[in-house]
Amino acid sequence: MKIKKFALLLCLALCACCLPANASSLGDIRVNARFLTDRMAFELNLNQSQYNDLFEINFDFLSGVDPYLTGMACADAAALDTYYRYLDERNDDLRWILSSSAYTRFLAIEYFFRPIYAMNNVCYLRVYKVYPNRSFFYFGRPVHYLTYHGAHSRRFYRNTGYYCAHYTGRYHHPVYKGHFHSRPEFRKHDFIAPRPVKNPGYHFTPARPSAPAAPSHRPEARPPYRPGISAKPAPKPVPKPDKRPPHASGIRPPQNGNHHSVRPGTSRPSDKAPNRVTRPSRTERKDNRPSVRPERKENRKPVKQIKEKSFLHNM
C-alpha cells in the first residue's frame, strides 16, 4: 500500500516538472508571442530581421503582464495601470523596428495595437477572434524562439530601450513621430468591470404584506362589468315609413290620363318606365273596395225571374 502511494506521488511530481514554466492564464507565453508575431508580420509585410525583433518585443510584453492578468480580468485599477505601462513600452519599441507607414497601419488594427481584453472575468487575446486556427502559421519559428528569455526587455534598458539604442546600425526607415500612448477611454472598451453578484442570503416573510406600489401612470377608468349587459350601447331603432297611402278614405283614387299610381315608400322616375303601373297590395285592395256593388245586384234579378218562369212553364 505504501509503495502504491509513493509511486502515485512520484508520477504527480514528474507531471508537474513537465509543465512549461512560462504558462499563464492566456496559455503558453512563447506560443502566443509567436502567433501574434506571425500575424503581424503577415499583415504588415515585415522582413526576417523585423520578424525576429518583433517576437522579442511581444514575448517581453506578455511575460511582463502575466502576473497581473487576474487583477486585469476584475478591472483592478492598479493592475490596469501596470498593464497600460507595459503596453506603452511595447508600442514605443515597435516604433523603431517598423517603418512610419507600417506603424500607422499597426495603430489602426485593434487586435495588434491593444492585444488583450477581458470578458466575464477572463482575459483573452484579440488576435484569436480574427484568426481562430491556432495551429496554422504563415512563417517558421524565429531564430531564437527557444533561447530568448527577455535579455532585450526594459528591465535592462529602462530609459530608451534596446531597439532605440541599436536602431542606427540595424534599420534605415523613417520613425513614426505621432501619438502612440494609451488613452483613458481604452479601459472601458478593453476591460469591462464585472457586475456585482447579488447575494440571495436568507429570505424572511414579513408579518404584514407591504402595500403595492402606486402605478407610475393612472389607468384608464372602465365601467363596471355587469353580466348579461353588453358594454356596447344598443343601436337606436330606425323609424320605418308608413306604407299606407296618405288618403283620408279607403276609396281607390281615380286614374286619369297618364297619371300612374306608385306604391308608397318607393319613387320611380317617369322617364324610365312611363307605361308601367304599379299595383297596390292586397291590403289596399280590401280597403279600397266599395261596400255596395249595384251593377252585380241588378244583373242577378233577371236571372232569378228567368228561373221562376221556367219553373211555372214546367208545371
Side-chain angles (χ1 to χ4, degrees):
M1 191 67 181
K2 293 182 179 180
I3 298 176
K4 292 182 179 180
K5 289 183 179 180
F6 179 77
L8 182 60
L9 294 174
L10 182 61
C11 293
L12 293 175
L14 291 175
C15 292
C17 294
C18 293
L19 292 175
N22 54 352
S24 66
S25 60
L26 291 174
D28 191 283
I29 295 176
R30 202 172 295 274
V31 173
N32 291 333
R34 181 195 173 188
F35 191 90
L36 180 60
T37 302
D38 183 85
R39 295 308 187 266
M40 291 179 66
F42 172 73
E43 293 196 25
L44 300 178
N45 194 20
L46 305 182
N47 55 33
Q48 185 63 36
S49 178
Q50 292 173 320
Y51 178 69
N52 294 330
D53 291 342
L54 182 60
F55 171 77
E56 294 179 359
I57 296 173
N58 287 331
F59 181 85
D60 294 336
F61 167 71
L62 294 177
S63 299
V65 302
D66 179 68
Y68 306 95
L69 290 176
T70 303
M72 291 161 52
C74 299
D76 181 68
L80 294 182
D81 292 340
T82 306
Y83 165 74
Y84 283 108
R85 178 174 60 84
Y86 278 108
L87 184 63
D88 289 341
E89 292 176 355
R90 173 231 184 197
N91 295 339
D92 185 24
D93 290 338
L94 290 177
R95 290 192 308 120
W96 302 99
I97 68 171
L98 299 178
S99 63
S100 180
S101 59
Y103 197 86
T104 304
R105 296 197 304 270
F106 160 76
L107 293 176
I109 303 175
E110 186 182 44
Y111 51 89
F112 291 160
F113 179 52
R114 289 148 43 207
I116 299 178
Y117 74 102
M119 180 181 294
N120 298 328
N121 297 336
V122 181
C123 290
Y124 301 95
L125 283 175
R126 280 195 172 96
V127 69
Y128 289 129
K129 294 174 61 178
V130 184
Y131 299 96
N133 188 3
R134 304 189 180 192
S135 60
F136 175 77
F137 295 90
Y138 292 100
F139 305 98
R141 289 183 175 182
V143 176
H144 43 270
Y145 176 73
L146 297 175
T147 58
Y148 181 77
H149 293 88
H152 298 161
S153 65
R154 287 293 181 105
R155 291 182 298 174
F156 305 101
Y157 299 89
R158 174 62 61 182
N159 296 327
T160 57
Y162 171 83
Y163 305 96
C164 176
H166 296 78
Y167 165 77
T168 305
R170 297 168 65 90
Y171 301 106
H172 304 282
H173 52 252
V175 180
Y176 179 80
K177 300 294 183 180
H179 181 79
F180 62 90
H181 293 281
S182 302
R183 295 190 291 270
E185 58 267 22
F186 290 167
R187 300 195 178 200
K188 62 181 180 180
H189 296 290
D190 298 339
F191 302 97
I192 303 174
R195 296 180 180 178
V197 180
K198 295 183 179 180
N199 186 11
Y202 296 96
H203 177 70
F204 297 96
T205 305
R208 295 182 181 179
S210 57
S216 58
H217 63 280
R218 187 176 181 180
E220 297 179 359
R222 295 184 179 180
Y225 173 74
R226 296 180 181 178
I229 300 177
S230 176
K232 296 182 179 180
K236 297 181 179 180
V238 180
K240 297 182 180 179
D242 190 5
K243 294 184 178 180
R244 299 183 63 180
H247 297 292
S249 63
I251 303 174
R252 186 174 182 179
Q255 298 179 3
N256 298 325
N258 295 329
H259 179 73
H260 305 285
S261 61
V262 183
R263 182 177 295 178
T266 60
S267 61
R268 297 177 180 272
S270 59
D271 56 347
K272 290 186 178 179
N275 298 326
R276 185 176 179 181
V277 178
T278 57
R279 296 180 179 180
S281 61
R282 293 184 179 181
T283 56
E284 294 176 357
R285 290 178 184 177
K286 291 181 181 180
D287 296 338
N288 297 333
R289 287 181 182 178
S291 58
V292 181
R293 296 180 182 180
E295 297 179 357
R296 291 185 181 182
K297 192 173 182 180
E298 293 175 357
N299 292 335
R300 286 179 184 179
K301 288 181 179 181
V303 174
K304 188 175 181 180
Q305 294 175 0
I306 292 171
K307 287 183 179 181
E308 292 178 356
K309 290 180 181 182
S310 59
F311 177 75
L312 294 175
H313 180 74
N314 291 332
M315 289 181 65

